[in-house]
Amino acid sequence: MTESETVVPERPAVPRTAWTRLAVCTAIAALLQADGTIVTVALPSVGSAFGISAHTASWLLTAYFAVYALGLFPGGRLVDRLGPGTVALAGLTLFCAGTLVGALAGSFEVLVVSRVLQGAGAGLASPAALAGAVAGFPAERRGTALGIWGAASGLSNLVGPLLGGILTEAWGWRANWWALLPLGLLTALSVLRWVRPAAGPEPRERAGEGPGARPSTAAVRGASVVAALTFATMIGTFFLIEQYLQDAVGYGVLEAALAPMVLALCIGAMGPVAGRLTDRFGERMPAVAGFLACAMAFAGYALPGTPLHGPWLLPGGLLLGSGLGLLFPSTSRLALNSVPQRLHGRASSYLSFGRLAGAACGAALAGLAFRDGVTPGHLRTALTGGLLLAVLGAALVLLWFRRPTPADATPN
């Protein structure tokens, strides 16, 4: 073969059905993500309606994310056994039932029960959505698919606070639960129509991980821990911002929702970029850069004398949102590419468990920070904790995430 006839490797082809399935499964993930942010905006109004403190109101987030996390392991096994479409449909049905109970709740205790039902449904739907989203995508292009997944999460976090603020201001906190019901039903219908069992290409097996590989490998465990730190940072920050701007500064619901919207917009914009970077250079570089960006943002806010509301929030918010956006594709790609495709359901459950456990801890720790009142001092203490989490995350990525291989470094 002459020099001019050298073959340039091409990106593996992706069938059209894989893109359709990605869209539907991403919509499931966006719905579950939006649920958390919509409810976060409504928490101060829920607290006023039932006469409870901000610390007690945070249990609506903690209960949802904790039950969500516990349901992931049986959900992941069911996905590997029954397929993503069947399990996703069952989870969405349970989620919609809990949503209806919450809309009709006459007490705070019943509202917590509704969140438990929603969390149980999400525990089934989440691993089904992640496994179904990458079905049909070769290992070399999963970062691109997961970048779109991360962008959808960012956009749902953008729509969630805005929608929650409008609904709460116009019709009260119950409207948030009523709005989630048709969204859940529409997503379930889409699953019925487009998510069918399909055998996508098997990912390349890495050294030392043959057909008998289990979703408890060091790579999956490491990705799950990093995902936990990512979501603890994101959900905890959302809760802190909403509570502080409404309770301490006196912003209205819609005005206070602008800050989380900036974060969400950056996450959504950075997702596709992060996906392509991950496919090209491996998971390590984008993840380290993401945690370092978050650490820099928290350090700026935690400094005494730094304004904690108004236009001064924007630079740090842009940096924090961009950093979070870099983290989504890398952790997911590492976990899914570390096991055969027939184990993607269980690998997804481990990964999602890390995210949801982190979200539950983030909400609980944020609520604990305001236990003695919503003040600037307590907020700065919480932000210092976020700085430490981000530094820890960067260190763990350097320690656990694999170095780029020649396949990763090949331009796509």
Side-chain angles (χ1 to χ4, degrees):
M1 181 181 293
T2 65
E3 207 172 301
S4 60
E5 294 174 321
T6 302
V7 177
V8 178
E10 295 182 359
R11 291 190 301 172
V14 178
R16 179 180 297 181
T17 54
W19 291 106
T20 304
R21 192 161 48 248
L22 171 63
V24 175
C25 291
T26 298
I28 298 173
L31 171 67
L32 301 180
Q33 191 67 34
D35 175 73
T37 54
I38 287 174
V39 170
T40 300
V41 173
L43 286 184
S45 297
V46 171
S48 299
F50 291 111
I52 57 176
S53 66
H55 173 59
T56 302
S58 70
W59 277 100
L60 290 178
L61 293 180
T62 303
Y64 173 74
F65 289 122
V67 176
Y68 186 165
L70 291 175
L72 289 167
F73 294 112
R77 289 184 174 273
L78 287 173
V79 169
D80 290 337
R81 185 169 297 181
L82 303 177
T86 301
V87 180
L89 187 61
L92 287 170
T93 300
L94 188 56
F95 178 86
C96 290
T99 301
L100 181 60
V101 171
L104 299 172
S107 67
F108 181 71
E109 290 74 17
V110 173
L111 198 57
V112 172
V113 170
S114 80
R115 297 296 284 164
V116 170
L117 290 174
Q118 287 180 306
L124 294 176
S126 182
L130 184 54
V134 298
F137 282 84
E140 297 87 350
R141 296 196 62 183
R142 286 193 184 130
T144 299
L146 293 167
I148 295 173
W149 175 284
S153 295
L155 292 176
S156 67
N157 284 323
L158 171 65
V159 173
L162 178 60
L163 179 61
I166 293 173
L167 292 172
T168 304
E169 287 279 4
W171 296 287
W173 65 266
R174 289 183 192 275
N176 295 278
W177 273 258
W178 284 118
L180 286 169
L181 187 57
L183 292 175
L185 293 173
L186 180 61
T187 307
L189 290 174
S190 299
V191 170
L192 277 173
R193 172 66 179 84
W194 286 297
V195 182
R196 299 189 181 96
E202 283 285 313
R204 293 180 186 174
E205 291 175 356
R206 294 183 182 173
E209 295 182 32
R214 304 292 298 175
S216 56
T217 60
V220 175
R221 290 198 302 269
S224 299
V225 173
V226 172
L229 291 173
T230 302
F231 270 68
T233 301
M234 183 174 69
I235 297 299
T237 301
F238 277 24
F239 179 85
L240 291 168
I241 291 174
E242 286 294 333
Q243 294 292 329
Y244 180 78
L245 293 181
Q246 291 187 52
D247 292 351
V249 183
Y251 283 6
V253 176
L254 284 176
E255 194 176 9
L258 290 176
M261 284 170 58
V262 170
L263 292 178
L265 185 60
C266 291
I267 293 172
M270 187 57 66
V273 176
R276 291 190 64 83
L277 287 174
T278 303
D279 278 343
R280 184 167 185 175
F281 300 110
E283 298 92 354
R284 208 181 202 198
M285 182 270 286
V288 170
F291 275 123
L292 291 180
C294 293
M296 291 173 61
F298 283 130
Y301 288 137
L303 288 174
T306 303
L308 295 175
H309 64 276
W312 295 101
L313 284 177
L314 185 59
L318 294 173
L319 187 59
L320 180 60
S322 299
L324 290 170
L326 285 170
L327 294 170
F328 284 99
S330 56
T331 52
S332 299
R333 183 182 186 266
L334 180 69
L336 294 175
N337 281 7
S338 296
V339 296
Q341 186 166 307
R342 61 186 175 80
L343 294 178
H344 273 187
R346 273 170 277 186
S348 298
S349 68
Y350 276 74
L351 182 63
S352 296
F353 178 82
R355 289 172 173 167
L356 272 300
C361 291
L365 291 173
L368 185 63
F370 287 154
R371 182 181 58 181
D372 296 325
V374 182
T375 67
H378 293 150
L379 178 59
R380 292 190 196 280
T381 299
L383 293 173
T384 302
L387 167 62
L388 296 177
L389 283 180
V391 171
L392 175 62
L396 292 180
V397 168
L398 289 172
L399 180 65
W400 289 341
F401 280 29
R402 67 188 185 93
R403 298 178 185 277
T405 65
D408 291 324
T410 301
N412 290 321

